[in-house]
Amino acid sequence: MATSKSDTLPGNTPPAKKKKSGALAYIRKNYILYLFLLPAVILVFIFNYIPMYGVTIAFKDFSPLKGVWESEWVGLEHFRNFLESPNFQQIFMNTIKLSAFDLLLGFPVPIILAIMLNQLRKARVKKNIQLIIYAPHFISVVVIAGMIFIFLSPAGPLNAILGLVFDQPISFMSEPGYFRTIFIASGIWQGAGFASIIYVAALSNVDPQLHDAATMDGATLLQRIRHIDLQALKPTMTVLFILAVGGIMAIGFEKAYLLQTSMNIPASEIIDTYVYKRGLQSADWSFGAAMGLFNSIISLVLLVAVNFIVKKLNGETLY
C-alpha cells in the first residue's frame, strides 16, 4: 500500500510515534510517582517471578540431594500419570463442581445484599446490619470448620431440632452427599457480606435524583433496581466475574481439607488437597508440582476465554 505525501511531511507525526512520545513525556513529568512504585515492582519480581524457575521440577524427577538443575528430566511423565490415574476424573469433577456451584450460587448474593443495603434510608440501621454481615469474614477458617463440626454433629444443635421429626440423627459430615451443600453454604455465609462492600461503594456513586425522577415517572422498585442500580453495577460485576472465573480452580484448600473426613472423601477430595497429600505428605514433589501447574494452566485459560467472551458481548474487559 502506497504512503501518501501527507503522511511523510515533516509536520505530520504518525499516530504510533505520537502515542509513544506522549507516554515518555508523561513518565518524565511524573517520574517521582514511578520511583515510589519501583520498590513494589522489585519485590514482586524477586518474590513472584524469580521463583517461577522452580516450576521446572514438574518436568523432572526431582531429588533434594541433586537439586533442581541436576535432577533427571522426565518431560510430561508426571502429567500423564495424573491424567491416567484412576481417581483423576473424580478429583477433577469434584473441583469443577465445587467451584462452579460456588460461583453460580455465591456470586449473586453480594450483589443482592448491596442492593438491599442501598434501599435502607436510616444510617444507624444500615451500619448495624453491615457490621453483622461483615463479621463472619474475620473469623478464621479453622474456627469456621470447628463450628460446622459442632453444629452438624450427631449430638449438635441441628440434629437436636431435626430429632423432633426424624428418629435417627443425621451424620452430615460423614455423608458425601451433604459435603457440597455445607461447603458452599458456609462459604456464602462467611464471605458474601464482606464481598458486598465493593458493590455498596459502586452504588454510592448513583445520583439519588435518578431514583427520584424514576419514581415520579411511575417506575416501581424493581424497575429502578433493574434500570439504575444494576446498570451502575454492571462494570464492577463484569470485572469481578472475570476474576472469579479465573480463580475457579482455586476453590480453597484450607476449608476443603479441614472439612474432609475419611467418609466424605468421594466428594471432598479436590486437586488442592490431593496435591498436598501427594506433594508434601508423600514427598512426591515433582508430581505435586505437575498437578499444581495443571491447575494453574486451566485457570489461565478460563480467565483469558471469559475475558474474550465478555469483551465480545458487551465491550467490558479486564485488560
Side-chain angles (χ1 to χ4, degrees), residues 271-318:
I271 292 179
D272 287 342
T273 58
Y274 194 60
V275 167
Y276 173 75
K277 293 175 182 177
R278 284 290 301 267
L280 293 179
Q281 290 186 343
S282 301
D284 194 352
W285 295 286
S286 294
F287 188 84
M291 293 171 62
L293 182 59
F294 171 81
N295 207 10
S296 300
I297 290 173
I298 292 178
S299 298
L300 177 61
V301 171
L302 287 173
L303 176 65
V304 175
V306 172
N307 184 73
F308 177 79
I309 293 170
V310 171
K311 184 178 181 180
K312 289 294 183 182
L313 291 176
N314 60 8
E316 299 289 343
T317 182
L318 185 61

Side-chain angles (χ1 to χ4, degrees), residues 121-181:
R121 293 293 174 258
K122 293 185 178 181
R124 185 186 182 94
V125 176
K126 184 176 180 179
K127 288 181 179 179
N128 290 334
I129 294 176
Q130 285 177 312
L131 179 63
I132 293 172
I133 64 175
Y134 294 168
H137 173 78
F138 300 98
I139 302 176
S140 169
V141 177
V142 179
V143 176
I144 293 289
M147 292 168 60
I148 292 172
F149 273 102
I150 293 173
F151 290 138
L152 301 183
S153 67
L158 184 58
N159 268 303
I161 298 172
L162 295 177
L164 302 174
V165 180
F166 301 100
D167 295 332
Q168 297 292 331
I170 301 174
S171 185
F172 290 101
M173 301 309 298
S174 299
E175 292 290 337
Y178 293 115
F179 179 80
R180 293 192 187 101
T181 303

